[in-house]
Amino acid sequence: LGEVQGRWKTAGFGSHEVDLFALARGDLAGTLPGQRWTGFGGRATLPTFGVMEFRGPRVTYGHVGYTIPIEALRAGGLGAPGVFGRVGTGAAWQEGQSADWQVNLVGGLRFWVLEAGAAWDPDSGSARGYAIFRFGGDL
């Protein structure tokens, strides 16, 4: 199993933040059993899909996000809540299949480790709200 991942957080306009994340995992030997496959989908990645809906020995996922803090509501050491927008995309597939990319447009409010928002799948037109505890890292 091989993996490459990267994350870049940087300042945007004023006190805003830009967040880029990318992940690629693959079965380099072609022999990974199903229980070792990677998956994504659900509230922390693509909220309009079920948790771990996309599984396979080859997975790619990435997102770009933009957060605007609401400084007037800053809560001491916990920081300020932020309004965010994020575009996430990913695919999971097996040998002999082609990648079927899925996309979600997500927006909401984040405070400390709490995140709540709404996501929309532009392909199907479906939308879903969600709320999660989001700690550092992805997948």
Side-chain angles (χ1 to χ4, degrees):
L1 179 64
E3 175 178 313
V4 175
Q5 78 173 264
R7 168 163 247 142
W8 184 49
K9 287 188 176 188
T10 188
F13 178 77
S15 60
H16 303 182
E17 180 182 82
V18 177
D19 175 29
L20 300 165
F21 176 78
L23 168 86
R25 286 185 184 147
D27 180 359
L28 301 177
T31 57
L32 275 180
Q35 70 267 25
R36 296 274 306 166
W37 289 6
T38 303
F40 69 95
R43 298 170 294 188
T45 55
L46 301 180
T48 63
F49 297 98
V51 174
M52 302 291 284
E53 185 168 334
F54 305 105
R55 295 183 66 242
R58 295 168 181 84
V59 170
T60 57
Y61 170 79
H63 71 241
V64 58
Y66 196 84
T67 303
I68 302 169
I70 306 169
E71 293 296 337
L73 299 177
R74 180 167 289 281
L78 297 179
V83 176
F84 72 91
R86 181 171 62 236
V87 177
T89 186
W93 66 100
Q94 297 181 45
E95 188 173 343
Q97 294 180 330
S98 60
D100 181 21
W101 292 89
Q102 303 298 326
V103 175
N104 269 191
L105 305 175
V106 184
L109 185 65
R110 184 179 301 127
F111 178 65
W112 192 45
V113 297
L114 305 173
E115 180 179 307
W120 177 61
D121 175 1
D123 289 335
S124 69
S126 65
R128 181 180 289 177
Y130 72 97
I132 61 172
F133 291 103
R134 188 177 197 99
F135 300 95
D138 283 279
L139 291 182

